[in-house]
Amino acid sequence: MRRFLVHRLLLAVPTLVGVSLVVFLTTKLVPGDPVASLLGPLAPPDARRELIERFGFDRPLPIQFGRWSWNVAQGELGTSIQQQRPVLEIVRTAFGNTAILALAGAVLAFAGGLLIGATGAFTTRRLPRGLASGLSFLAMSVPQYSIALGLVALFAVRYRVLPAGGMHDPVGGGGAGDLLRHLVMPAVAVSLIPMGVIGRMLRASLVDVMSGDQVEAMRARGLGRAAIARHALHNALPSLLTITGLQLAYLIGGVVFVETIFSWPGLGQALYNAIASRDLPLIQGGVLVIAIAFVLINIVVDGVHALIDPRVRR
């Protein structure tokens, strides 16, 4: 097991190096002038020159990348051009808020996907199976921002039972109850696509197990449906954990629209604002943190999969 995890960590190193290079080069292709966005188009040349030299924009790209990579290796992500604060400080706070939303969405997606997949695989009646299949297809097809706007229009504007955005009420807010009220709609919006994916993948895995020789032998021995269902779920557990882990990683980096619509102060909204203002250090740092989180989540999922199924370690 230790050798397996070390091997996965070593494979992650070139992946992160490649991702950092792609992130750095891609941000350089973003149109616009970050200096002009901070100082304005009528700024004097001396002020522009000073800011360009301060952020190293006057140096060749290989030198800029080498300097940025060296700083990243030391845990230094630079300074935000717009906010004039350390990028690491901004990203740390925003990532924590995104993690709250992603974990809540993952819990809803796992519970809903488990219900949809089990219903579609175990029931013999056509109506529940059709509903499970239709719900999974609908959850995967409807865009997140459409669901988010619909939830706001229904529960925040029409019935006024839930807040339209933010993490806490601006006046008198705070506490777990207030956070949960603000979390309901964003969590539901981000959970639907992963819920559909988990439901469809689990149903396919369960159907494959149920059609195997082991299940036929269990039926021949007179075992009940509950015992057969437990056996099928146990055999489908590795694939279920794998797809759930991948969807959690997707949620970490895929909540930009939802965070923007609900004014959720997470990493997605921070990146959206950074792209709008061409804040290159914040864009680079935010995308890199998302990539690192994605790789680490995959390593954890591989480790859990290897614990459950020793054949994976070979």
Side-chain angles (χ1 to χ4, degrees):
M1 187 66 189
R2 183 179 301 174
R3 181 184 301 176
F4 174 83
L5 291 177
V6 170
H7 179 67
R8 285 294 187 270
L9 288 171
L10 290 177
L11 288 177
V13 173
T15 302
L16 291 176
V17 172
V19 167
S20 63
L21 178 60
V22 171
V23 169
F24 180 82
L25 294 178
T26 302
T27 54
K28 295 300 180 181
L29 299 177
V30 177
D33 185 359
V35 177
S37 66
L38 179 63
L39 298 178
L42 303 179
D46 292 341
R48 287 181 52 85
R49 189 181 309 111
E50 179 182 355
L51 196 64
I52 289 174
E53 293 177 355
R54 176 182 173 185
F55 287 99
F57 293 151
D58 58 333
R59 301 182 181 181
L61 283 181
I63 296 179
Q64 291 186 43
F65 176 70
R67 181 183 178 184
W68 180 71
S69 301
W70 175 252
N71 291 335
V72 168
Q74 295 179 317
E76 174 60 47
L77 299 180
T79 302
S80 168
I81 297 177
Q82 284 291 325
Q83 303 186 37
Q84 291 298 297
R85 293 168 52 202
V87 171
L88 185 60
E89 175 185 330
I90 300 172
V91 169
R92 185 189 297 117
T93 302
F95 184 81
N97 297 334
T98 294
I100 293 173
L101 177 57
L103 288 174
V107 170
L108 293 178
F110 179 82
L114 184 61
L115 179 61
I116 291 173
T119 301
F122 292 143
T123 186
T124 57
R125 291 182 292 178
R126 299 179 63 179
L127 180 59
R129 294 182 65 177
L131 285 176
S133 178
L135 285 174
S136 63
F137 180 77
L138 184 64
M140 295 172 58
S141 303
V142 181
Q144 286 181 335
Y145 56 84
S146 299
I147 295 295
L149 291 174
L151 291 173
V152 170
L154 185 61
F155 294 104
V157 178
R158 183 176 180 83
Y159 294 109
R160 300 183 180 181
V161 294
L162 291 173
M167 285 185 67
H168 298 284
D169 289 334
V171 179
D178 185 45
L179 175 62
L180 286 175
R181 290 181 61 250
H182 287 77
L183 184 60
V184 171
M185 289 196 295
V188 170
V190 301
S191 69
L192 291 183
I193 292 179
M195 184 186 300
V197 173
I198 293 172
R200 292 182 70 87
M201 295 294 294
L202 177 60
R203 179 185 179 277
S205 180
L206 288 174
V207 168
D208 183 61
V209 173
M210 295 288 286
S211 62
D213 295 335
Q214 290 183 344
V215 173
E216 292 296 330
M218 294 175 69
R219 287 173 178 160
R221 293 199 301 268
L223 294 178
R225 296 183 60 184
I228 294 175
R230 286 196 298 269
H231 167 77
L233 285 171
H234 177 75
N235 282 271
L237 185 59
S239 60
L240 176 61
L241 289 176
T242 300
I243 192 64
T244 302
L246 292 176
Q247 293 309 304
L248 176 59
Y250 158 77
L251 287 174
I252 292 291
V255 295
V256 176
F257 291 114
V258 173
E259 288 189 350
T260 303
I261 291 172
F262 288 103
S263 299
W264 188 268
L267 195 53
Q269 188 182 40
L271 284 174
Y272 177 84
N273 295 332
I275 292 172
S277 60
R278 207 169 185 269
D279 193 340
L280 297 186
L282 183 53
I283 297 173
Q284 292 168 345
V287 175
L288 183 64
V289 168
I290 290 175
I292 293 174
F294 194 95
V295 171
L296 291 179
I297 289 173
N298 278 278
I299 292 175
V300 172
V301 170
D302 288 342
V304 174
H305 193 176
L307 282 175
I308 297 174
D309 188 357
R311 295 173 298 177
V312 179
R313 308 175 203 170
R314 300 173 184 174

